[in-house]
Amino acid sequence: MIRLMKQSHLFTKTRREAPKDEVSKNAQLLIRAGFIHKEMAGIYSFLPLGLRTMNKIVGIIREEMNAIGGQELSLTALQDKHIWEKSGRWSDEVLDVWFKTTLKNGTELGLGTTHEEQLTNLMKDYIRSYRDLPAYAYQFQTKFRNETRAKSGIMRCREFLMKDLYSFSKNEAEHSAFYEKAKQAYVNVYKRVGIGDLTYITFSSGGTFSKYSHEFQTLTEAGEDMIYVHEGKKIAVNKEVLNDEVLKDLGISRADLIEKKAVEVGNIFNLGTKFSDALELVFKDVDGTNKPVIMGSYGIGPGRVMGTIAEICSDDKGLIWPESVAPFAVHLIALSNKKAVEGVEDQVKKVADEIYAKFVKRGVEILYDDRDATAGEKFSDSDLIGIPIRYVVSEKTIANGEVEMKDRKTGKVEMVNISDFK
Ligand code: ATP
Ligand code: MG
């Protein structure tokens, strides 16, 4: 990752207003701060600052997936219709978010909305016996979904990145052990990106193969889901499974649940043998018989996570990135109002350049506002972009041999000795 950047070189600019048709707070802030560019409703490009944050989120998820034995691959977005016909999901009535396209010779293809079918089919080439199991494969890959409503900014896109992991196991016990590990890895992810306190493991319907699946729901008014939160146990139940049986299973009473708006930032599913049956993915067990592979799927939308962070970690001035996902760790601002005069060195610039060079040498990710702009512009841009720590070098601060340090989140200001920068 590139560690250094001078703001005078950054081609993106902040803007006062988001496009008129943009109704979501996350997209408004991210567009104004120059993180994303709106192409169409539900379709956004990621600009240099936005991509840095996205890559931080992706990096955290990747570490957690590798830690539980995930192996990264990358499947294609163009998908074979015949594979989808086998699972019965090619029909637009069954899967209502399809984008489909056609080859010049008339062959129909699907633009991947998800990858269970394709990966199950691919695994038939590699999974033969119990010795080949378990296997855990994941990817960060673009999904296409013709979402009807796209009013939640980057939290609901028609083209978006998804981390999707699929587990292939010999039996229920092996599957369940991994499912629990994945659940913990998800808890780690949300904690590390800074939304752990507001994210609830939420019981939802498990389909045919297990009683429950689990959604990871983050409380925010911007969410499209309604969940029922048990604050004491730090769990929640979603609308579709809120009934007496579930309450009994979880040992909770309806009176203790509070209805809250939330966004689903991830989910984990037991797929059982649904896809292995449909696509005939079997393995030869120790006893010599053929058995269907037991599968699970585990999704996270890194862009939706980024949008959720923007919703939660922001104020009326702009974004407030948690350190772990901030595009840069430090924002250095030089407030030099001296026009270059021949023979006279600009002391503010000199001190700021030196501090910048020291951070770069230490490998700190730093954005250096070296632009010829007013203090007001620089401060409001800095507040909007939301880098956690800001250093300000001005004539006033250097007169005392100091620079000002401000914490974006707490607003706390401290003076730091110039000689302290090593
Ligand atoms: P939702 O109910 O919100 O549409 P989903 O059940 O369709 O979500 P999955 O298909 O399981 O979601 O996708 C896995 C993850 O991908 C979700 O938990 C979410 O984080 C993310 N995701 C799903 N749809 C979108 C989208 N349209 N834009 C951005 N991220 C998405
Ligand atoms: Mg959906």
Side-chain angles (χ1 to χ4, degrees), residues 312-359:
I312 293 169
C313 307
S314 51
D315 61 14
D316 54 357
K317 295 197 182 84
L319 298 152
I320 310 176
W321 295 107
E323 258 168 70
S324 59
V325 299
F328 291 92
V330 170
H331 202 174
L332 175 65
I333 296 179
L335 290 188
S336 159
N337 46 19
K338 280 243 172 70
K339 292 270 170 284
V341 180
E342 207 162 343
V344 180
E345 214 179 1
D346 178 346
Q347 282 304 317
V348 169
K349 184 175 179 305
K350 184 167 168 268
V351 171
D353 281 355
E354 279 166 14
I355 293 173
Y356 175 64
K358 282 179 182 158
F359 274 119

